[in-house]
Amino acid sequence: MKKFELLEEYFGHKSFRPLQEEVVDAILDLKDILMILPTGGGKSLCYQLPSLMMGGVTVVVSPLLALMHDQVVALQANSISAAMLSSMQTHEESDQIEKRLKKGMIKLLYVAPERLTNSYFISMLHYININFFVVDEAHCVSEWGHEFRENYRELSLLKEQFPDIPIAAFTATATNSVERDIANQLKLDNPLRVRGSLFRSNLTIKAQHRIKDGRLQLLEFLKSHRGDAGIIYTLSRKSTEAIAQFLQTKGIDAKPYHAGMPTEVKNSTYADFVSDRISIVVATIAFGMGIDKSNIRFVVHMSMPKTLENFYQEIGRSGRDGLEAETLLLFSAQDIVQQKFFIDDLPDTPYKQHVYNKLDSIVRFANGEECRHQTIAKYFDDDIDRCMDKCDNCLEPDIKRIDITTASRKLLSAIYRTSQKFGLHYVVDVLRGSREKRVLENHHDKLSVYGIGDEYSKAQWLTIADRLLELGAVEIGEFKVYKLSEFGAEIIRGVQEVDLREDRLTVKKSIIKKIADSFSDDYDQEIFEKLKSLRTEIAQANNIPPYIVFSDKTLKELTIKLPKTKEDMLMVHGIGEVKYERYGAKFLALISEIAR
Ligand code: ADP
């Protein structure tokens, strides 16, 4: 079958998304590939579709059991023979899978990386006809990424043992240097590198200074998300429970989830969430990696994640169906102190500095005033336009701003006068006329800038410095030394002006803002609920999660199109021949009843 027919028949899609076809073609040409595409961009299809067109088995290495399981269930629901091998299976089960593999009855085999250390497994791989390998979540192979996994290092063995079999590696997040590292570690042979834009246009990203424990802000946010599925991330196990309980007292069906809970409880919470029986999970970051629930409408962080990579991945779990979703980051200076505390304990290696830099980046992002999408993209070496209306900074440009040109000139001059050889804290000490021994020893109390900055507190100067960093007026060199850029020099010369959101200098007074309801979906809520009940019924009868039957997007489109025939139905997003055969008749019957 041709690729477009397969796309429609097995996956129910009318066309490829940007970059998918290029990768499918390259896999068919037996090239090595490294694809970076945001969560929800449609990476799975890039290897699942060519796998169907080629003889042999595709071996997919994936870091998490839950992730593999979801993929296998979704493939099986589309009549594609997929299986996984994991340490959780009995010998009989793995034997069965091995037999089917050898008979060529399996198209896609999912395995955890530790399998590759098993010599029996490797020798078995030599007996089966493998068309290509897939390395999912490939950033785990790089120490410079954010989720390094020791056992991913074993993957270098793939090229060593199977030099003629292509590898397709996929990840949602990688800076240029992580990308290079992945290619080196996996020994990819002149791979086709495909980088999708990081812009998730259906996500509205917001960040606010947390007021006290942030609960009021959370409630305010949830007002516009009644009944929506969402994840709330907290740092500690205890707070997952406390916040879930708090929400329950407000009549919101939230459950906690963290690594310390008994497995049965965790599994049942996970299942309840995936099957739409509860709408909210309050979790530590143990929850959510690889979760394939397409209708998550929001993600809230109650405190600052460690890195922008983590943040981007975590918010990326929302809106995978392409419909609007909203994310809120609540943060405070305490979070930063806490994170720094952890890093301080690391041994003094370049890695430690690397972790500090990552923390700096997310702190700057949280405080930042530039378009949030653009800031994230820049961090991952991508260049996009301002989103205009998909982040708080673009949506609220009229927040009162104050001119800080004079203050900026003072700070920049102090950096310059101290010969661009000192860290920020030192420079601010000089500005504020500190009697610190080091300042006096360096004779910096004799400088013209000494003591000219006592109108602001130290914390306020640090905020001003952050703003200058955001604008590129200063750069941080080795040993965290601050240096002027050309733009910074222009500010000193009076050619450029600088302003700042007033609330950044008066954090305490930060206001809870009413978040405008960003949902303007055009669909019939009442019909949607009816279709949803049918979907739940079918899902329960087949013991599969509801989104495997049809996504929310498909149901919403059905409420508008109200198809009468098979042909009409096949025009709807996410419905191909296979899905139609399975569920089409039931939905058509219900729709005709509704439309009568
Ligand atoms: P990723 O692995 O990149 O996070 P997925 O492979 O899970 O993304 O795909 C995300 C969503 O996009 C899924 O719901 C999938 O059905 C949908 N999708 C993928 N490819 C297409 C396409 N060509 N047209 C429409 N929807 C698609």
Side-chain angles (χ1 to χ4, degrees), residues 31 40 43 58 75 103 137 433 463 480 564 590 593:
K31 291 206 172 88
K43 290 183 284 297
T58 305
L75 286 165
K103 284 190 194 152
E137 311 288 347
T463 303
K480 296 211 162 189
K564 292 196 182 66
L590 175 62
E593 202 178 290

Side-chain angles (χ1 to χ4, degrees), residues 82-114:
M84 64 188 266
L85 277 175
S86 89
S87 50
M88 306 292 278
Q89 286 159 327
T90 60
H91 271 302
E92 290 71 43
E93 284 169 330
S94 347
D95 281 351
Q96 270 300 323
I97 292 173
E98 202 178 314
K99 281 200 186 105
R100 286 173 55 218
L101 263 178
K102 286 182 174 156
K103 284 190 194 152
M105 290 164 68
I106 291 176
K107 272 279 47 164
L108 289 124
L109 176 71
Y110 285 79
V111 296
E114 45 272 24

Side-chain angles (χ1 to χ4, degrees), residues 272-513:
D272 283 349
F273 184 59
V274 171
S275 317
D276 294 341
R277 286 191 292 270
I278 52 166
S279 24
I280 298 177
V281 171
V282 187
T284 54
I285 48 170
F287 183 81
M289 184 176 177
I291 189 169
D292 192 5
K293 178 174 166 67
S294 64
N295 64 340
I296 297 177
R297 297 268 71 83
F298 65 86
V299 167
V300 177
H301 285 90
M302 297 301 289
S303 49
M304 183 112 75
K306 282 202 283 279
T307 68
L308 259 184
E309 279 99 332
N310 288 102
F311 176 72
Y312 184 69
Q313 278 229 332
E314 283 150 19
I315 62 168
R317 290 170 191 149
S318 62
R320 291 179 73 144
D321 51 13
L323 299 178
E324 291 296 316
E326 191 175 22
T327 75
L328 174 67
L329 164 64
L330 297 177
F331 66 98
S332 87
Q334 292 157 25
D335 303 345
I336 303 159
V337 173
Q338 199 168 357
Q339 305 272 12
K340 283 226 161 91
F341 188 70
F342 288 130
I343 306 175
D344 286 343
D345 275 352
L346 293 174
D348 273 324
T349 60
Y351 182 70
K352 183 172 183 173
Q353 189 55 45
H354 176 71
V355 184
Y356 272 127
N357 292 346
K358 279 189 185 279
L359 180 61
D360 265 358
S361 302
I362 186 151
V363 171
R364 248 177 287 134
F365 165 80
N367 281 304
E369 295 179 33
E370 304 304 309
C371 169
R372 303 222 184 256
H373 287 276
Q374 208 175 30
T375 311
I376 294 174
K378 213 158 146 193
Y379 179 77
F380 289 111
D381 303 311
D382 190 12
D383 185 17
I384 61 169
D385 289 336
R386 293 183 54 186
C387 71
M388 307 306 285
D389 58 357
K390 292 290 179 191
C391 76
D392 48 1
N393 286 343
C394 288
L395 284 166
E396 300 160 2
D398 48 354
I399 281 203
K400 189 160 181 249
R401 310 183 74 85
I402 50 170
D403 186 284
I404 53 161
T405 310
T406 309
S408 302
R409 289 172 72 181
K410 287 185 183 176
L411 182 60
L412 292 166
S413 306
I415 293 172
Y416 184 72
R417 295 278 167 219
T418 51
S419 316
Q420 310 190 69
K421 282 190 180 146
F422 293 88
L424 182 62
H425 284 261
Y426 182 88
V427 175
V428 172
D429 282 346
V430 173
L431 259 186
R432 301 191 73 242
S434 158
R435 306 293 305 162
E436 283 272 329
K437 201 165 142 223
R438 207 163 141 229
V439 173
L440 302 180
E441 274 172 11
N442 289 329
H443 303 296
H444 285 157
D445 55 335
K446 305 281 181 302
L447 294 177
S448 56
V449 290
Y450 179 77
I452 61 168
D454 57 2
E455 71 271 40
Y456 289 121
S457 67
K458 186 156 186 179
Q460 286 173 321
W461 278 115
L462 299 185
T463 303
I464 293 169
D466 271 351
R467 178 72 181 136
L468 293 174
L469 205 52
E470 266 163 55
L471 294 171
V474 286
E475 286 153 11
I476 304 180
E478 218 183 341
F479 307 116
K480 296 211 162 189
V481 161
Y482 272 60
K483 293 179 186 299
L484 302 195
S485 69
E486 183 46 41
F487 183 61
E490 286 175 6
I491 297 171
I492 295 190
R493 290 204 299 274
V495 185
Q496 300 279 357
E497 294 184 344
V498 191
D499 66 358
L500 175 84
R501 274 171 60 148
E502 190 182 31
D503 57 345
R504 281 177 71 178
L505 284 181
T506 52
V507 173
K508 297 275 178 329
K509 282 190 246 146
S510 172
I511 350 104
I512 301 176
K513 282 176 223 82

